[in-house]
Amino acid sequence: MNPTVLIQGASRGIGLQFCKNFLARNAVVIATCRKPQEATELHALSKQHSGQLHLLQLDVTNEKHIEDSTEFVEQTTGGKLDLLINSAGMLHPSGRGETSLKDVNIQGLSTTFATNTFGPLLMAKYFGNMLKKGSGAFGKQGLEKGQQHTGVLVNMSARVGSITENALGGWYSYRLSKAALNMTTKNLSIELGRGKSKVICISFHPGTVDTDLSRPYHRGVPKDKLFSVQYSVDSMMNTIDGLTVQNSGKFYCWDGRELPF
């Protein structure tokens, strides 16, 4: 049976590239985004992979929308998921991170948290049980029964969400939302790691990737540190392939190096 993958935030950038990579592995992929009618690349991909790639409209800031989407996913996958990737993210509603306290406001904070933190948590709430019914198609299974897993949950975080490594400050909404996302990952790893059906939960820093979100900040990035989307996703796929239950609850770079919270 083909593995099943749910990618939240798949219309462009990292999420779209994950779709391409998993389709190449013959996975059944459910790709979500807020406005599928505007996701031209995703639509083109679905025509190339009819019956394998399924598009689903989903607003990750709307809990009712997430809950209602479970019926479509259950019907498409038989109620079983091998991998959930929460990829959608935003820097700030204005498109630029706050550089000082005077720039901070409740609207910016709440909107950023809704997409970067609350959305992934609610995705876990409604799809966690499907991950517990997965086949364990991704990662490496342990030899002991207590070290085996059924599914993998990946939250797309960022290095600026590391409290330990924060030496510059600023970017309040983005930093705080990603630090909170890392705590979400840790909490989920504990709850979804209980019992016989374990789900590996990790946070990823994808690197500085050439996407719309990071493009305004490329000026100071060395060329060898600015990654193509394909390189970043290929590297994260390799890391996912090597995951075991011992890796659950941790924060990793694209290449598998562990980052401090």
Side-chain angles (χ1 to χ4, degrees), residues 1 5 35 97 154 174 194:
M1 188 173 177
V5 180
K35 299 177 180 179
V154 171
Y174 191 66
R194 295 181 182 131

Side-chain angles (χ1 to χ4, degrees), residues 109-120:
L109 288 164
S110 59
T111 303
T112 306
F113 265 81
T115 298
N116 293 356
T117 312
F118 305 150

Side-chain angles (χ1 to χ4, degrees), residues 1-7 22 26-30 73 76-84 130-131 133-135 137-138 152:
M1 188 173 177
N2 293 354
T4 54
V5 180
L6 174 59
I7 302 174
F22 284 113
N26 294 317
V28 174
V29 178
I30 300 174
V73 177
T76 305
T77 68
K80 300 177 182 180
L81 277 176
D82 294 307
L83 176 64
L84 165 60
M130 293 189 205
L131 288 167
K133 297 174 184 177
S135 66
F138 299 102
V152 177

Side-chain angles (χ1 to χ4, degrees), residues 212-234:
D212 293 341
L213 187 148
S214 68
R215 202 157 286 132
Y217 302 96
H218 288 176
R219 185 182 302 172
V221 180
K223 287 186 178 180
D224 63 338
K225 297 296 183 182
L226 180 60
F227 302 149
S228 68
V229 176
Q230 183 170 348
Y231 173 80
S232 174
V233 170
D234 285 350

